[in-house]
Amino acid sequence: MKVALGQFAVSRDWQDNSETCISLMRRALAGEADLLLLPEAVLAQDISDPDRVIQAAQPLDGPFLKRILAASRNNQLTTIMTVHVPAQEGKVKNVLVVVRDGEIVARYEKLHLYDAFAMQESRKVISGSKVPPLVEVAGMKVGLMTCYDVRFPELARRLALEGADVLVLPAAWVRGPLKEMHWEVLVTARALENTCYMVAVGECGPRNIGNSLVVDPLGVATVKAGEGAGLIFAVLDPARIAHARSVLPVLENCRFAPPELK
């Protein structure tokens, strides 16, 4: 599987962000990617206006995703991102969507909300309650996670035991003391402990770190982006997964997995 990682700084205008996403989709297609991963919360954001995500939220059949779906038609590129969707009580849901050939083929409502480091995502976001599905892309099974989920190894392990070869992580990782180190260590750990590829994309800009990367099943970072906007590519090799799981059979050796998932 060839993956493309597109990182950019999300603006307050959904129209601008839709054009950026569509441009990255075109570039990913030109690079013959099977999968394009974009950051978390790409619909609209404004660091000077924390309530912008609520004001700008759109339903899944709203104009933002209609543009994305139209751009995805008549090709086999799978594109993954998260958007804020209106919910009850004046709040929103942080919904990961998997888009392919004009359709939303899977969705996932973020389980773990970022109530940490003096931030409180739950003030405006309602958490999901279901483990995300696996999605098949180019013959490989892809597990879905969103940003803060990476700090909870139980979810990644559950997805790996269900058969994930690849774990994807759209994120908006906030800058701060040691935060870049946390990002790389956590992404690497989730790959290594589950012998999966990790594909992690971070928003860049004045508040977020960027630093998108791919880590292979033995903990080797194969590509990395810097702090600015850009598109990078990586090839994920099923043979590398098979090798990792033959020399490091942690999924077979795990004694805490429910029998039906082993």
Side-chain angles (χ1 to χ4, degrees):
M1 184 202 301
K2 188 172 185 179
V3 297
L5 295 78
Q7 68 177 38
F8 64 98
V10 177
S11 80
R12 65 176 286 109
D13 297 313
W14 70 264
Q15 294 93 337
D16 291 344
N17 296 322
S18 69
E19 288 303 317
T20 299
C21 292
I22 290 168
S23 174
L24 289 167
M25 291 167 71
R26 291 172 179 155
R27 291 168 61 191
L29 271 172
E32 300 183 337
D34 301 295
L35 172 66
L36 168 64
L37 186 65
L38 298 174
E40 178 185 24
V42 297
L43 199 154
Q45 290 197 60
D46 185 343
I47 61 174
S48 66
D49 180 6
D51 290 328
R52 178 59 183 162
V53 294
I54 296 175
Q55 299 159 0
Q58 295 182 15
L60 294 181
D61 60 355
F64 178 88
L65 274 174
K66 281 184 178 178
R67 288 189 180 186
I68 300 299
L69 292 171
S72 74
R73 290 193 181 102
N74 301 317
N75 64 74
Q76 286 303 302
L77 176 69
T78 299
T79 302
I80 298 176
M81 67 191 79
T82 94
V83 295
H84 284 108
V85 174
Q88 64 271 29
E89 303 170 8
K91 294 186 177 183
V92 295
K93 291 184 178 180
N94 189 342
V95 182
L96 181 152
V97 291
V98 182
V99 171
R100 184 191 302 143
D101 195 15
E103 296 183 0
I104 297 174
V105 298
R107 66 190 69 181
Y108 158 59
E109 296 176 5
K110 186 177 182 182
L111 281 171
H112 300 102
L113 300 183
Y114 185 52
D115 289 357
F117 292 106
M119 299 191 74
Q120 191 176 17
E121 188 177 10
S122 64
R123 185 180 70 81
K124 46 186 181 288
V125 180
I126 296 173
S127 65
S129 59
K130 296 180 180 179
V131 173
L134 298 184
V135 179
E136 187 163 323
V137 180
M140 300 177 77
K141 292 182 179 179
V142 178
L144 312 174
M145 302 193 299
T146 300
C147 201
Y148 193 47
D149 283 338
V150 77
R151 291 189 183 270
F152 301 87
E154 303 86 356
L155 179 58
R157 175 53 56 90
R158 168 71 178 262
L159 294 170
L161 288 170
E162 288 185 347
D165 305 301
V166 182
L167 300 172
V168 296
L169 186 77
W173 204 260
V174 179
R175 298 178 186 276
L178 303 177
K179 293 293 294 301
E180 287 87 350
M181 181 268 286
H182 291 185
W183 169 254
E184 188 160 338
V185 166
L186 288 163
V187 170
T188 302
R190 297 296 86 83
L192 179 57
E193 71 194 6
N194 293 299
T195 53
C196 291
Y197 278 98
M198 275 288 304
V199 182
V201 172
E203 184 192 353
C204 57
R207 186 183 68 173
N208 303 107
I209 68 170
N211 291 8
S212 302
L213 74 163
V214 173
V215 179
D216 84 0
L218 287 175
V220 178
T222 60
V223 296
K224 291 183 179 181
E227 73 281 4
L231 182 71
I232 59 175
F233 294 86
V235 175
L236 313 188
D237 185 359
R240 181 65 168 169
I241 301 172
H243 169 69
R245 292 179 177 178
S246 69
V247 298
L248 182 62
V250 289
L251 299 181
E252 291 183 20
N253 296 342
C254 177
R255 300 185 65 184
F256 290 92
E260 67 271 16
L261 292 179
K262 291 194 70 173

